Amino acid sequence: MNRSDNLGYSPTKRANLLKWIIGIVIAVVVVTGLMLWRFTGPVTVYVTAEVNDLPFEVETIPPVVFARPGEMVRVIYRIRNNDIVPLEALGRVEVDPANASDQIQIFITQCSGLNAFQNGYPQEYEVLFRVQPAGLTDYQQVTLRHVFDRATLR
């Protein structure tokens, strides 16, 4: 006599069906976990500076931030003018990759625009920002760069 359950499936077919169901459940759990991580996991923000034609030393504190989406983050740019006289410089913010600029929202940046940098001692400039979640199309890693250029008279 051939044993089968009341649905007409043999034990082998039931085992194969059970393997498929378990495989699909595992795949759904993994995909759901990855999606949840992309929407709630931290975004790595590298805080850097680029100095063009200026005798500045720039230290970023901290140089890397693991920012949770929606969390307000504070970083410091410690800038030291090594020249013998004060210098004026223009600062601007760049986000890399460029199309990630909508993912990071800057609230305060004290070192953008025209600033006078005194010589002989470091000055600290605060930057406050928050990031949006990576989601499906945004980035898990973003670089926040302040670029400093010499201010020239027109």
Side-chain angles (χ1 to χ4, degrees), residues 54-68:
L54 289 164
F56 290 174
E57 290 177 16
V58 180
E59 177 186 7
T60 57
I61 306 167
V64 178
V65 176
F66 301 100
R68 294 225 169 262

Side-chain angles (χ1 to χ4, degrees), residues 35-56:
M35 293 293 291
L36 187 63
W37 178 253
R38 293 281 296 174
F39 281 96
T40 62
V43 175
T44 305
V45 180
Y46 297 98
V47 184
T48 64
E50 180 182 321
V51 179
N52 300 319
D53 192 34
L54 289 164
F56 290 174

Side-chain angles (χ1 to χ4, degrees), residues 24-39 136:
I24 289 171
V25 168
I26 289 173
V28 167
V29 167
V30 168
V31 168
T32 302
L34 288 174
M35 293 293 291
L36 187 63
W37 178 253
R38 293 281 296 174
F39 281 96
L136 294 176

Side-chain angles (χ1 to χ4, degrees), residues 43-48 50 77 92-107 109 112 127 129-132 138-147:
V43 175
T44 305
V45 180
Y46 297 98
V47 184
T48 64
E50 180 182 321
Y77 281 82
R92 70 179 185 279
V93 176
E94 293 180 353
V95 176
D96 189 39
N99 49 351
S101 60
D102 291 339
Q103 191 176 351
I104 190 164
Q105 183 179 15
I106 299 171
F107 292 98
T109 175
S112 286
V127 177
F129 66 90
R130 75 172 168 209
V131 296
Q132 301 300 320
D138 285 332
Y139 299 91
Q140 285 292 122
Q141 296 181 348
V142 177
T143 300
L144 176 65
R145 179 183 312 109
H146 272 70
V147 180

Side-chain angles (χ1 to χ4, degrees), residues 77 79 91-92 109-113 115 117 125-127 146 148:
Y77 281 82
I79 303 169
R92 70 179 185 279
T109 175
Q110 295 177 327
C111 47
S112 286
N115 281 301
F117 295 91
Y125 295 87
E126 182 178 50
V127 177
H146 272 70
F148 299 95

